[in-house]
Structure formats: C-alpha cells, structure tokens
Amino acid sequence: MNITLEKNEGAVAGKLIVNIVKADYADKLTASLKKLKQKVQMPGFRKGMVPMSLVQKMYGTEVKADELQKLLADTVNNYINDEKLRVLGEPMLSEDNEAADVAAKDDFEFKFDLAFSPEINITLDGRTSVDYYDIDVDDATVQGQIDAFRRQNGKNVDADTFNEEDLVRGTLTENGPMAEPLKVEEATLMPRFFVSDDQKALFKDAKKGQDIVFTPAKAYEGRAHELASLLKVDKEEAEKHNGEFTFHVDSISHFELGEVNEQLFNMIYPDGSVKTEEEFKARVKADVEAQYVQDSDYKFMLDLKDAALKKAGKIELAEDLLKKMVLQNAKTEDGRKQIEEHIGDYLNDLRWTLVRNELAKNLDVKVDDAAMLAASKRLIKIQMAQYGLFNLPEAQLEQFAQERLNDEKQRETIANSAFDTAIVEAAKKVVKLKNKSISIADFNKMFQ
C-alpha cells in the first residue's frame, strides 16, 4: 500500500492519495469469505458445505467492497493520526476519482480531499484590553424580585373597583340586530392582556354591576385562539363575531401580594438562615447580583471573542471544500438551501472555535469532572432563577446536575458552558480589565 499527501506549504487544503494492491486485502478477504461460507445455505447443500467457488461467485464482489471500505477507513484515519494532521471535518472522496470496478479490478487508487486547520498564533497579556461591565443592582430591581416572591405567596381577594391588573368575571352578550346574539355566561377577562390600549381603557375604574361595551375582536386582534376561548366557540366561528359586546361585571378579583414575613423568608430560603426583613432584602440582593455577574461574564466572553479574533487576524479556510462537506449532510432540498443560506455563519463559527481552542491551549484551560458538575449546577440555578427559585437544596441540586451529566444530549451543552467559564476565569487574570459600572437598563440595551 502506498499513501501520498499532496499539500503545499501553508495550504488549507490538500489531497491524500491511497494506492491499494491485492496483497493489502487478500488475507482479510479470504477470511471473510470463509466466515461467510459457514453461514450460507443453498438447496442441495448442508449449511456450511456450499463450495467456496459458489460463495465467491455469489458474494465475492460484495465482500470485497466491504473489505476495501474498511481498509480505506482504517488507513486514512491511521495516517491522519500518525502524521498528526490537523484536519477539519471528514476526508472527502475527490470528484476526480475514477469509478472503482470492484468486480473486475484488484488494484485501486483512491483520492481524498482534506481541509486543514490553519496555524493560529494568539497570546493574551496585559496589553490586551477588554471591557468588563459591573452591573448596578438598584433598589428597584431588588424590590421587583421581592414582589415576584410575594406574588408566589399571594392570594385573590374580592374588590369593588377594577384596577389595572385585576381579573373580572361576568356575562358577555353580543350587541346587534342578529336573531340569536352570542351570550357567554361566566366569562373571564384580564384586560391588561388586551392588544388594544383603547379597549383596556374601557375597563378603567369599573364597578361591580356595571355594564361595559367593548369589542373583543379588537381587544384580541391577531390572537384568534384567545378570542375563541373567551367566546367559547371555535376559531372559525369566532371570526364571525367581530362587533360590540356588553360585559356585565359580576365580580372583580384583585390579586394581593403576600406579606414580607417569616413565612415568606422560609418559603424562599428554607434553610432558616433569614430571620428579618433586612436580612431578606440583603440576601435577595446578593442572589440577584450573582445572577448579573454571570451576565457580565457572558458579555465579557463576547468582547473577548472580538478581541481574540482581531488579534488572530485573517483566518484562511478551505471554504469551498468545507461547504461541500456540510452539504453532504443535507437530506432534502430545503435542507440544502438552509445550509447554503447560513454557510457564512458556519464558517465564522468555525473560525471562532479554532481561536477559542488556541486560547484555551495558551491559557492552560482544562475542564475536569468537577468543572463539569459545577457547570451543570450553574445552568440549573440559572433555569430555576427564572422561576424565582434561588435556593434549591444542595442534595437535590447535586442529583439534578448529575442526571443532566448522564444525558448525552445535555452533556455537550454543559461541556461548552464549562469550557467557556474556564476561559473567562483564566482570561480575567491575564488581560487588562476595563471595569465599567452600568445600570441594568443600559446593559440590556447592548443586546437589543
């Protein structure tokens, strides 16, 4: 067997040529045919007693093709590993290969196109300046989180006058000259969710027993499902009722936030560590600040990415070849169009991956089992915080984190998070941080 690599110095693509002669696969071919002979059954012969000449005639070409394919795969992969070639994607059969007549020929030549990772030289040090945003968690934000907690412990109470966030119940009757106007008993409305501000305004300061004329079709414009749910008909029928209705207010339900007391403290922090309102506010502020540190780190990673890509300069890739490799995965014409439309994004992501890997190498970043577990916990905490749950018991957090690590679909996401976190922490110690204090509102504007 003879293997040749055609690649110019510094080139990002090359061609691997593999020449195979019969002696390279003859022994394995014979062994495979003998093994197959033991299983072949034909009329007139006992199992395993079919003559080898017949086995060869019936299955020889198929088995030969299989052995060639396995030999090629092993040969190419071993060569890439032995020569330590930095290959992107998978080797791709060249378009200039001659058709392999497996039945008639014994010697073959196969050509593969290879895409290579370019050399990337990048070093971060104190001369590299990267912004780091210290997000100011103001009292209003802390109070907003406390109110969210209070909402979890709140209750509905009857009210006489409607306020903006209240829920109203009553009878909804269609106005107009139609023979059978639509009437909905025990209808429920939450005007704050209306699309139209004009329709919301009709319910301002409404009283029990009051009749309010409004147009549901305008109130729920563009939300056919919600309109149909209110009118208790299907969507097609709801479209026919686009005029005014009279809503008779039977009751007004006002949601009252829970008290800031020991019951709330223990509900949010069941370890009993919070005893007073002052301690509660301080703890909530610390938890919210911890959340925003992760947001600051995320923004730092984005800015670090920009700085690193700028330092790396132009990164040449075998774009046409890589595009062909990706297009091989397209199963439909629509899939092919999607790939072609987003191929630029794919190539840019690949460039960043190469730079990120070089950064990790230079920063001596390693992700071990402990880092993976920490990342899994961190992602769970972020998810739980969205629901106002800041203090999941440690034993339960550990269990959930380990379960996610055992799920292969989630493990890759966790690994990427752990890797990025490790890079961020390492880079913070090396680059020059330009700390900037910023409000939550202004910070969020940077992502709009």
Side-chain angles (χ1 to χ4, degrees):
M1 188 185 311
N2 184 49
I3 306 174
T4 304
L5 175 63
E6 295 181 351
K7 177 180 181 290
N8 294 328
E9 185 70 26
V12 292
K15 194 177 295 289
L16 191 65
I17 303 172
V18 182
N19 288 286
I20 297 176
V21 297
K22 186 175 182 179
D24 295 325
Y25 61 87
D27 290 345
K28 289 186 177 180
L29 176 58
T30 300
S32 292
L33 287 170
K34 286 181 178 179
K35 187 175 180 180
L36 179 63
K37 179 179 180 296
Q38 303 303 315
K39 302 176 183 179
V40 172
Q41 298 184 51
M42 289 181 63
F45 299 97
R46 295 196 305 273
K47 182 179 179 180
M49 299 303 293
V50 177
M52 179 58 79
S53 59
L54 284 177
V55 174
Q56 173 71 43
K57 183 177 181 180
M58 293 177 61
Y59 303 104
T61 300
E62 180 182 343
V63 174
K64 184 178 177 182
D66 287 343
E67 289 302 325
L68 282 170
Q69 187 175 18
K70 287 188 284 187
L71 178 60
L72 258 182
D74 290 343
T75 299
V76 172
N77 289 333
N78 290 338
Y79 182 85
I80 290 172
N81 291 331
D82 292 344
E83 298 297 320
K84 296 181 173 55
L85 300 180
R86 299 176 63 189
V87 174
L88 299 176
E90 298 292 331
M92 186 175 184
L93 278 171
S94 301
E95 294 178 350
D96 59 349
N97 273 307
E98 295 181 5
D101 189 347
V102 177
K105 295 177 61 177
D106 292 324
D107 300 341
F108 305 91
E109 180 179 86
F110 296 95
K111 301 174 185 177
F112 293 88
D113 293 322
L114 303 180
F116 295 102
S117 175
E119 290 294 329
I120 297 175
N121 297 308
I122 178 171
T123 302
L124 299 180
D125 52 34
R127 292 170 296 180
T128 306
S129 179
V130 183
D131 293 339
Y132 189 87
Y133 293 92
D134 298 305
I135 302 173
D136 178 31
V137 177
D138 55 24
D139 291 342
T141 301
V142 175
Q143 187 59 51
Q145 184 59 65
I146 291 174
D147 287 345
F149 289 145
R150 293 176 65 193
R151 192 167 286 109
Q152 295 178 33
N153 207 27
K155 60 183 178 181
N156 288 310
V157 296
D158 288 336
D160 293 322
T161 303
F162 176 80
N163 286 318
E164 184 178 358
E165 295 194 357
D166 291 347
L167 176 149
V168 289
R169 294 185 179 89
T171 302
L172 188 64
T173 306
E174 188 173 20
N175 300 342
M178 66 280 297
E180 294 184 10
L182 189 63
K183 186 173 184 178
V184 182
E185 303 283 355
E186 298 181 356
T188 300
L189 293 174
M190 298 186 76
R192 74 175 181 272
F193 294 125
F194 286 177
V195 175
S196 168
D197 289 336
D198 290 341
Q199 296 297 307
K200 288 180 189 178
L202 296 173
F203 286 80
K204 181 177 174 59
D205 298 328
K207 308 287 186 184
K208 277 186 182 180
Q210 183 176 342
D211 287 336
I212 300 170
V213 178
F214 81 114
T215 308
K218 292 181 180 178
Y220 294 104
E221 188 173 3
R223 298 179 182 175
H225 178 76
E226 293 179 46
L227 178 60
S229 178
L230 170 66
L231 300 181
K232 298 182 181 180
V233 295
D234 59 37
K235 288 193 290 186
E236 289 72 19
E237 178 65 22
E239 291 176 358
K240 301 174 184 177
H241 302 276
N242 54 13
E244 291 183 338
F245 281 68
T246 296
F247 185 81
H248 180 78
V249 181
D250 290 330
S251 65
I252 300 172
S253 181
H254 176 69
F255 186 78
E256 192 173 85
L257 296 177
E259 296 291 330
V260 179
N261 55 22
E262 187 175 356
Q263 181 183 0
L264 181 64
F265 304 157
N266 291 333
M267 184 182 80
I268 305 303
Y269 301 108
D271 60 1
S273 59
V274 175
K275 302 294 185 184
T276 68
E277 186 172 346
E278 289 71 23
E279 290 176 349
F280 183 64
K281 288 182 178 179
R283 185 73 175 272
V284 171
K285 182 172 185 177
D287 286 339
V288 175
E289 286 175 339
Q291 276 187 278
Y292 280 108
V293 165
Q294 294 175 32
D295 290 343
S296 293
D297 285 349
Y298 173 72
K299 183 64 171 69
F300 172 77
M301 185 64 176
L302 295 180
D303 292 340
L304 179 68
K305 172 182 176 180
D306 290 340
L309 286 171
K310 185 176 180 180
K311 268 183 165 288
K314 187 175 181 180
I315 300 173
E316 295 287 352
L317 295 173
E319 295 191 6
D320 290 341
L321 178 54
L322 289 168
K323 180 178 178 179
K324 289 178 184 177
M325 291 180 184
V326 177
L327 285 171
Q328 283 186 135
N329 299 320
K331 297 179 181 179
T332 64
E333 185 59 32
D334 284 344
R336 185 180 182 86
K337 289 179 180 177
Q338 284 284 325
I339 290 173
E340 289 179 334
E341 183 179 344
H342 297 287
I343 192 66
D345 295 333
Y346 163 76
L347 293 172
N348 286 334
D349 287 344
L350 178 57
R351 288 183 173 93
W352 166 235
T353 297
L354 297 173
V355 171
R356 187 179 73 152
N357 290 343
E358 189 66 20
L359 275 181
K361 176 183 173 183
N362 292 341
L363 293 170
D364 195 27
V365 165
K366 294 180 177 62
V367 175
D368 55 16
D369 290 342
M372 288 286 286
L373 182 61
S376 185
K377 287 182 178 181
R378 184 170 57 253
L379 291 173
I380 291 172
K381 286 181 178 180
I382 292 172
Q383 183 179 5
M384 292 296 101
Q386 293 173 352
Y387 301 100
L389 302 174
F390 284 104
N391 283 276
L392 202 64
E394 184 60 31
Q396 197 171 13
L397 179 61
E398 182 97 14
Q399 177 187 343
F400 289 164
Q402 196 59 58
E403 287 175 356
R404 290 194 178 188
L405 283 171
N406 293 335
D407 184 341
E408 286 301 320
K409 292 181 180 178
Q410 299 192 65
R411 190 176 178 86
E412 183 177 354
T413 299
I414 295 169
N416 279 326
S417 176
F419 194 52
D420 281 348
T421 297
I423 289 176
V424 165
E425 292 306 314
K428 281 182 183 178
K429 299 173 184 177
V430 173
V431 302
K432 180 181 179 182
L433 292 179
K434 293 176 62 178
N435 291 81
K436 296 182 177 181
S437 182
I438 190 171
S439 69
I440 294 172
D442 287 341
F443 181 80
N444 289 336
K445 285 178 183 177
M446 291 191 290
F447 295 90
Q448 293 176 351

